[in-house]
Amino acid sequence: MAQRKMIVFPTKNEVSEAMAAYTAKLSAKFIKEKGLFTVVLSGGDLIDWLCKLVQPPYIDSIEWSKWHVFWVDERVCAWEDPDSNYKLAMDGFLSKVPIPDKNIYAIDKHSAADGNAEHCAALYEDCLKNLVKEKIIPISKKTGYPEFDLQLLGMGPDGHMASLFPNHPQINEKQKWVTHITDSPKPPPKRITFTLPVINSALYNLMAICDKPQAKSVAEIMKHNNFSLPSAHLSAQVENVWYLDQAAASEL
Ligand SMILES: O=C1O[C@H](COP(=O)(O)O)[C@@H](O)[C@H](O)[C@H]1O
């Protein structure tokens, strides 16, 4: 598994530029190697920081039609709900680039609106399994879990990543690929999330953290390897890179 690599940038703007360059480089590499690129998004502030991808030079140079887009976690609510990670990504990023609709794998619309978190997680896992059969997602020979090319992750001030929260059992799930939570400490309470083995089976994981509220958890992870914080468990098969701004790195 890849060692954690950290780069501190002066401001959020440089984090955003570096994320775009990293994503574009991997997009070109994987599309050249296998004709497609699987990208996993999170919600939260990260979507704002992806803004550089919808500007020149990336908007015109990325082969968007070869992208397949997933969510590492999703809130169990209607697609139109302001809490929806799908809506956030559609409004701020995906609606501005020509990715075919069929390549955008959102939470099941009806079950999400019905609010059944367990069913939504099972359906999302079925969706991934079908894509394994269709050879869009390989199963890693090393881990036995689905292998995404790139995941773009964020961390909450409490050290959570995806919807894996401190002191909640989802972090220990090893059988399922996608699990659910109904008592998330951060609203909304019902969510689905990739499990840790799936998150760590990605080839490249890019964790982007900006702003002061995250600084304490960043220091706990970097200085003390505090594994009670879910983000401390992040790894990857090839590269596990953390991009921070000065504010997030201020307690290091
Ligand atoms: O609730 C969530 O929080 C995390 C972190 O979000 P941020 O706004 O603190 O950056 C996010 O990565 C996750 O996808 C989201 O559902």
Side-chain angles (χ1 to χ4, degrees):
M1 285 288 179
Q3 291 278 9
R4 191 189 300 131
K5 215 158 113 179
M6 178 182 77
I7 305 179
V8 181
F9 296 90
T11 68
K12 220 181 270 187
N13 190 51
E14 281 88 358
V15 170
S16 185
E17 273 168 8
M19 270 177 69
Y22 192 84
T23 304
K25 192 177 94 191
L26 290 179
S27 168
K29 166 185 152 63
F30 284 108
I31 291 171
K32 188 169 173 211
E33 283 172 12
K34 57 176 192 171
L36 61 91
F37 182 43
T38 56
V39 190
V40 183
L41 302 177
S42 353
D45 293 333
L46 181 111
I47 298 299
D48 272 353
W49 308 333
L50 288 177
C51 61
K52 304 282 180 204
L53 278 174
V54 300
Q55 295 168 15
Y58 306 115
I59 183 82
D60 305 313
S61 59
I62 288 177
E63 281 192 82
W64 298 106
S65 65
K66 308 281 172 59
W67 276 41
H68 291 258
V69 179
F70 303 84
W71 276 265
V72 72
D73 75 321
E74 180 56 281
R75 288 87 178 276
V76 178
C77 56
W79 280 7
E80 303 77 25
D81 192 299
D83 277 334
S84 160
N85 283 345
Y86 167 79
K87 177 178 165 50
L88 184 74
M90 277 315 268
D91 292 352
F93 173 39
L94 299 173
S95 61
K96 301 175 182 176
V97 294
I99 300 173
D101 288 350
K102 66 174 180 37
N103 293 3
I104 295 178
Y105 306 96
I107 193 169
D108 182 78
K109 187 174 185 170
H110 300 294
S111 307
D114 285 350
N116 185 336
E118 187 171 7
H119 189 51
C120 286
L123 289 178
Y124 208 71
E125 184 164 319
D126 287 349
C127 163
L128 300 186
K129 287 190 168 149
N130 283 330
L131 293 167
V132 169
K133 282 194 203 128
E134 290 172 27
K135 300 199 185 319
I136 304 288
I137 309 171
I139 294 290
S140 163
K141 289 195 181 75
K142 279 196 211 144
T143 70
Y145 291 98
E147 179 183 278
F148 293 95
D149 298 329
L150 171 65
Q151 268 169 159
L152 297 166
L153 300 159
M155 181 179 86
D158 61 353
H160 83 268
M161 66 172 174
S163 284
L164 300 175
F165 289 90
N167 306 314
H168 281 72
Q170 286 77 13
I171 187 84
N172 301 316
E173 175 62 53
K174 293 194 174 54
Q175 301 302 317
K176 293 178 182 164
W177 292 0
V178 184
T179 190
H180 72 287
I181 179 168
T182 53
D183 60 350
S184 160
K186 176 179 174 182
K190 291 188 201 170
R191 292 148 172 258
I192 64 170
T193 180
F194 281 9
T195 56
L196 186 63
V198 173
I199 292 175
N200 284 347
S201 186
L203 294 173
Y204 292 80
N205 272 324
L206 169 53
M207 171 68 92
I209 312 176
C210 298
D211 299 327
K212 185 85 183 153
Q214 272 81 344
K216 239 190 180 52
S217 289
V218 167
E220 278 299 309
I221 293 168
M222 299 296 175
K223 297 208 301 205
H224 310 297
N225 258 330
N226 182 346
F227 285 113
S228 68
L229 304 183
S231 299
H233 295 263
L234 183 64
S235 179
Q237 292 205 58
V238 178
E239 192 159 73
N240 170 20
V241 64
W242 291 49
Y243 285 177
L244 311 181
D245 72 350
Q246 282 291 353
S250 58
E251 301 215 12
L252 288 178

